[in-house]
């Protein structure tokens, strides 16, 4: 995922990443500050850091760390599901005065181990082929984990659908029995009424 978003100086912004377990997630970010005089975003925001917080699907904090105006963070998941990644500047100004607008560029890579191009360009071709093979094997493992995770989600969804269909069937049966009971009671009440009024 590569994106950018605008944020207030003290505002926390979060994104949700649905990630399988035992997966490496790497995030690169860069912060730009709005310059009122130039009416544009500056290339960087010196002196401004970012708090990065990652929360697991079970609401445990997996990562909570202060970084600079540009940096890389990484974490390995141990649970499958939606992980919440939040970024907030470390501005010390009061909220009322922290009116500066920030642009945060964020690039998140899931299950990727980056190749060191300096090693790849080494003269020893055997090392290069070996490194590329290891990288491909890692990608295959990641794809396999993604497929297993999707299979688990599909199975959970199917079970939920079957349970819902079963509940709907029982509710329809109960409704039918209630309607039949009310119908019989109404017929009996009308018959008793007619008999008491000697209309029958």
């Amino acid at each position: 995922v590569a994106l950018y978003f605008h944020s207030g100086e003290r505002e926390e912004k979060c994104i949700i990443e649905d990630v399988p377990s035992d997966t490496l997630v790497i995030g690169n970010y860069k912060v730009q500050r709005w310059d009122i005089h130039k009416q544009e975003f500056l290339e960087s925001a010196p002196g401004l850091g970012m708090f990065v917080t990652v929360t697991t699907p079970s609401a445990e904090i997996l990562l909570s760390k202060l970084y600079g105006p540009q940096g890389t963070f990484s974490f390995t998941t141990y649970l499958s599901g939606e992980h919440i990644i939040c970024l907030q500047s470390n501005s010390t100004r009061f909220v009322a005065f922290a009116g500066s607008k920030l642009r945060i560029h964020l690039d998140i890579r899931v299950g990727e181990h980056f190749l060191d191009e300096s090693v790849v360009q080494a003269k020893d071709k055997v090392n290069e082929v070996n490194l590329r093979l290891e990288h491909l094997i890692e990608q295959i493992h990641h794809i396999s984990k993604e497929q297993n995770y999707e299979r688990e989600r599909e199975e959970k969804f199917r079970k939920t659908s079957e349970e819902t269909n079963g509940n709907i069937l029982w509710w329809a049966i109960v409704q039918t029995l209630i309607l039949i009971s009310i119908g019989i009671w109404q017929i009996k009440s009308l018959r008793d009424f007619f008999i008491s009024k000697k209309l029958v």
Side-chain angles (χ1 to χ4, degrees):
V1 180
L3 54 94
Y4 76 83
F5 51 87
H6 293 153
S7 170
E9 202 167 319
R10 296 286 300 273
E11 190 180 357
E12 184 180 55
K13 291 281 188 173
C14 299
I15 65 164
I16 296 172
E17 276 291 323
D18 201 352
V19 188
S21 62
D22 193 32
T23 301
L24 176 68
V25 179
I26 299 171
N28 291 304
Y29 73 90
K30 182 176 85 169
V31 183
Q32 294 175 294
R33 181 181 268 154
W34 178 255
D35 188 303
I36 298 170
H37 305 295
K38 293 183 179 177
Q39 290 292 302
E40 63 180 20
F41 284 98
L42 300 174
E43 193 53 39
S44 66
L48 199 65
M50 292 299 284
F51 282 111
V52 179
T53 309
V54 178
T55 310
T56 66
S58 61
E60 290 178 55
I61 293 180
L62 191 60
L63 173 72
S64 181
K65 194 173 175 184
L66 175 63
Y67 295 88
Q70 185 171 348
T72 300
F73 60 89
S74 64
F75 60 93
T76 303
T77 61
Y78 66 89
L79 278 176
S80 297
E82 293 182 343
H83 288 70
I84 302 169
I85 303 167
C86 296
L87 293 101
Q88 182 180 25
S89 74
N90 69 337
S91 173
T92 54
R93 296 202 281 176
F94 292 112
V95 177
F97 300 105
S100 186
K101 191 163 62 170
L102 304 175
R103 177 182 283 172
I104 301 166
H105 297 263
L106 183 61
D107 182 17
I108 292 179
R109 304 203 181 265
V110 178
E112 263 189 52
H113 293 271
F114 295 109
L115 279 172
D116 186 349
E117 289 301 324
S118 62
V119 176
V120 172
Q121 292 171 357
K123 292 178 182 176
D124 191 349
K125 292 292 179 188
V126 175
N127 284 347
E128 181 185 341
V129 171
N130 189 30
L131 192 68
R132 291 205 180 269
L133 278 173
E134 285 177 12
H135 186 66
L136 284 172
I137 289 167
E138 281 180 6
Q139 286 181 323
I140 289 167
H141 286 310
H142 174 64
I143 290 167
S144 175
K145 275 191 273 189
E146 284 275 357
Q147 286 176 333
N148 289 336
Y149 179 51
E150 291 301 325
R151 203 173 291 119
E152 285 172 21
R153 288 178 63 186
E154 189 273 331
E155 191 176 330
K156 195 184 292 182
F157 179 74
R158 187 170 43 79
K159 281 181 183 174
T160 306
S161 298
E162 286 171 2
E163 286 172 11
T164 304
N165 287 339
N167 291 340
I168 289 169
L169 176 66
W170 282 111
W171 177 241
I173 291 169
V174 168
Q175 276 184 318
T176 305
L177 291 173
I178 290 169
L179 288 171
I180 290 169
S181 303
I182 290 170
I184 291 169
W185 176 78
Q186 282 181 331
I187 290 168
K188 187 180 178 306
S189 298
L190 279 170
R191 197 172 131 250
D192 292 346
F193 173 77
F194 290 142
I195 289 171
S196 67
K197 296 291 181 182
K198 297 180 181 178
L199 296 172
V200 177

